[in-house]
Amino acid sequence: MKTKGDILILGIESSCDDTSAAVIKNDNILANVTAGQEVHKIYGGVVPELASRAHQKHIVPVVHSALQLAGISTHDLDAIAYTKGPGLLGSLLVGSSFAKSMAQALNIPAIPVHHMKAHVLAHFIDSNEKKPPFPFINLTVSGGHTQILKVSSAFDFELMGETLDDAAGEAFDKAAKMMGLSYPGGPEIDRLAQNGNNLKFTFTKPRVDGLNFSFSGLKTGFKNLLDRESRKNPDFIKENLYDLCASIQHTIVEILIENLISAANQSQITHVAIAGGVSANSYLRRRLRETETTHGFKTYIPPFEYCTDNGAMIAIAGYFEYLKNKSLRPLTDSATARWQME
Ligand code: KG4
Ligand code: ZN
């Protein structure tokens, strides 16, 4: 029920292959509905044109059921937040056009949200998880981005390091594809690695300046190992699947954790967090938690369901924006495939 002073925001996410809508009352999620897209599975990755068409099919039922589950009517909404970018342009256009039209019809603000900032702001959704105090260091790891940020407020993000080529999620997905696992490969590797030996196979770690990352050399190293060993034994992948998953996961996570620790040490900030799809990875979560004892850090992970793409993170980002500025936004603001953190 909406009482005086409550702010109700609808958040719409459509940057990649999940159509998601959430309703937030202040910082409390009332509903979060996501429709995934099975259509990409057989291609081993997201096909942009198919993604936009699936968003068109899903967006009305997804928004409708989010409103229904939240038990509110469109007229209770104070604003509609949507992902403006970065992401697949066709997919972004579906969500942003829908959000702007709906906001115009209701005469409420349509709030553009930066997808990567929203991943970080998922920490502030009301839940049982601890919320990081400002400033904190955040490692944001998704299918398209890998960034280390110093976060000084809900509006102040300083990029300290990022990937120079593939993203961490992409490294998981590509390694999985090479082993014949289905897309998205990250969760599959996570699951299979539980029974494997982290140290069975070792890979050369990339040498990159500062706090940046590179995963393309690792991808090549992994492919070379599979090719070389499969020539000797055609069943190599099948016979070593658990160890291959555990070893590649271990290498990716160690690269991430090392830079995260360096960023925290350099900036002398002991509050350290992760966010984004890859923060659902059980080994990364464990390694982050271990830094509490090894380095004296305080660590933070968003609630599990808000790690991978979701409307709730767009809604909380919209909530912060709305608190700052309640006025209508220009509807000429357009979806952007590439959008710097600035
Ligand atoms: O943030 P996200 O849902 O979408 C983007 O913004 O890209 O991240 C998706 C990425 C995919 O690469 C997926 O394989 C990865 O997150 N991912 C995982 C796990 N769950 C999702 N990677 C490793 N372990 C997981 N458990
Ligand atoms: Zn994402």
Side-chain angles (χ1 to χ4, degrees):
M1 201 66 250
K2 184 174 180 176
T3 51
K4 202 168 175 305
D6 280 341
I7 294 165
L8 277 174
I9 294 185
L10 171 67
I12 297 178
E13 155 61 28
S14 73
S15 67
C16 190
D17 59 342
D18 287 316
T19 320
S20 187
V23 177
I24 200 166
K25 183 162 83 174
N26 308 316
D27 63 351
N28 184 17
I29 297 295
L30 302 183
N32 181 48
V33 178
T34 302
Q37 302 184 352
E38 292 293 315
V39 65
H40 308 288
K41 274 221 153 87
I42 55 166
Y43 300 101
V46 177
V47 183
E49 183 53 34
L50 295 179
S52 343
R53 290 185 205 180
H55 283 302
Q56 280 181 323
K57 202 164 81 186
H58 293 157
I59 194 138
V60 172
V62 163
V63 168
H64 182 72
S65 56
L67 292 170
Q68 244 187 356
L69 274 173
I72 65 154
S73 115
T74 51
H75 297 283
D76 296 324
L77 290 172
D78 294 288
I80 301 177
Y82 65 93
T83 308
K84 169 178 162 168
L88 301 172
L89 188 58
S91 296
L92 291 166
L93 280 167
V94 176
S96 60
S97 312
F98 182 93
K100 286 190 284 182
S101 319
M102 188 169 165
Q104 189 178 27
L106 296 168
N107 196 32
I108 56 176
I111 302 176
V113 166
H114 192 292
H115 181 87
M116 298 311 293
K117 292 182 184 173
H119 268 304
V120 178
L121 295 174
H123 286 293
F124 299 98
I125 292 171
D126 186 32
S127 75
N128 293 329
E129 301 292 341
K130 303 178 278 172
K131 296 178 182 158
F134 298 114
F136 64 95
I137 301 294
N138 197 91
L139 168 73
T140 322
V141 267
S142 73
H145 295 81
T146 302
Q147 302 175 327
I148 295 189
L149 301 163
K150 177 180 168 190
V151 187
S152 300
S153 79
F155 309 99
D156 186 355
F157 297 78
E158 184 193 322
L159 187 63
M160 299 177 74
E162 64 184 332
T163 184
L164 304 176
D165 41 58
D166 291 353
E170 215 173 339
F172 271 105
D173 295 339
K174 287 180 176 170
K177 193 174 175 182
M178 289 178 213
M179 293 185 283
L181 305 176
S182 65
Y183 179 86
E188 285 289 283
I189 290 186
D190 190 351
R191 186 174 60 80
L192 296 163
Q194 315 276 339
N195 304 311
N197 173 358
N198 283 347
L199 304 174
K200 175 77 182 285
F201 302 102
T202 51
F203 304 96
T204 318
K205 286 201 195 143
R207 277 204 230 153
V208 188
D209 285 345
L211 297 171
N212 290 327
F213 300 93
S214 165
F215 290 103
S216 71
L218 180 62
K219 177 182 65 187
T220 313
F222 192 66
K223 182 167 187 313
N224 289 345
L225 170 80
L226 298 184
D227 289 349
R228 195 174 59 238
E229 296 302 322
S230 298
R231 271 198 297 274
K232 291 187 228 158
N233 169 13
D235 290 331
F236 172 74
I237 296 179
K238 205 164 91 195
E239 288 170 8
N240 292 278
L241 190 59
Y242 295 148
D243 293 340
L244 284 166
C245 288
S247 302
I248 191 73
Q249 172 177 268
H250 171 75
T251 311
I252 296 171
V253 168
E254 288 314 308
I255 294 170
L256 294 172
I257 288 286
E258 270 174 30
N259 268 9
L260 184 56
I261 291 172
S262 303
N265 288 342
Q266 267 177 39
S267 50
Q268 299 193 319
I269 294 173
T270 52
H271 296 283
V272 178
I274 55 175
V278 181
S279 64
N281 182 268
S282 55
Y283 186 62
L284 175 61
R285 295 163 84 92
R286 191 168 90 222
R287 290 289 291 115
L288 178 78
R289 293 295 190 214
E290 281 168 10
T291 64
E292 300 214 345
T293 32
T294 55
H295 291 75
F297 294 162
K298 296 262 186 307
T299 67
Y300 306 87
I301 309 176
F304 187 80
E305 65 271 35
Y306 306 134
C307 286
T308 48
D309 287 351
N310 63 86
M313 69 187 202
I314 306 303
I316 187 85
Y319 172 64
F320 283 119
E321 284 289 339
Y322 185 81
L323 288 181
K324 197 169 81 169
N325 175 7
K326 295 189 169 51
S327 61
L328 294 176
R329 301 339 190 232
L331 292 168
T332 48
D333 205 332
S334 172
T336 310
R338 289 174 178 273
W339 188 9
Q340 299 305 322
M341 291 294 284
E342 75 245 350

